[in-house]
Amino acid sequence: SAQQALRDSYLAHIDTFDDAMYRTCVPGHLTASTLVLNASRDHVLLTLHPKVGLWLQMGGHCEPADSSLRSAAAREAREESGIDNLVVGELPLRLDRHRVGCHGGSWHLDVQYLAVAPAEAQEVISSESLDLAWFPVDGLPELTDDALRFLVAAATAVAD
């Protein structure tokens, strides 16, 4: 499958580059992101990304203090959503490889997790976002990308 091929390429990348987890790795680096669903799993919390101008899941670069990709994904989700008690899945939901502006055209090898917010969760916009909003899983904004659409489809398939 395409996901298995991506997984194999990520593992080869990690074997090739000592700094594969960090933005210092010029050819590309692993990143971690989290799709946040509400407790009833019918809405998704998205951030309006200031650099690309699209509504996307929470996520970003790994930091040395992160003990795993999951902990990086959880940290980014907490920082960008303002929700402290998200329940982040143990295993990644999807992988997505995309070109970004780092180093003039590097790759993000994104490892994507799913998190569920508690019913009483109150999101708080961060300085890393232009806006933060809940969208129905079947009513995503036009200003997004196929990677997010595939991620939401995977999340709703798990939720069913």
Side-chain angles (χ1 to χ4, degrees), residues 19 22-27 29 103:
D19 61 348
Y22 305 107
R23 70 175 89 203
T24 55
C25 189
V26 175
H29 38 275
H103 309 296

Side-chain angles (χ1 to χ4, degrees), residues 59-136:
H61 292 100
C62 299
E63 296 178 0
D66 296 325
S67 60
S68 65
L69 283 162
R70 181 178 176 267
S71 69
R75 175 185 51 75
E76 287 286 345
R78 257 191 329 275
E79 289 173 359
E80 295 182 16
S81 73
I83 302 171
D84 287 329
N85 46 354
L86 293 168
V87 178
V88 180
E90 291 296 320
L91 298 174
L93 183 61
R94 286 193 91 251
L95 304 174
D96 183 73
R97 183 176 184 261
H98 52 272
R99 177 95 49 199
V100 292
C102 298
H103 309 296
S106 188
W107 289 95
H108 275 178
L109 285 63
D110 198 33
V111 180
Q112 302 174 327
Y113 289 82
L114 176 61
V116 178
E120 73 282 358
Q122 280 298 307
E123 69 279 4
V124 179
I125 193 167
S126 78
S127 61
E128 298 180 37
S129 176
L130 295 177
D131 200 359
L132 192 64
W134 292 97
F135 293 92

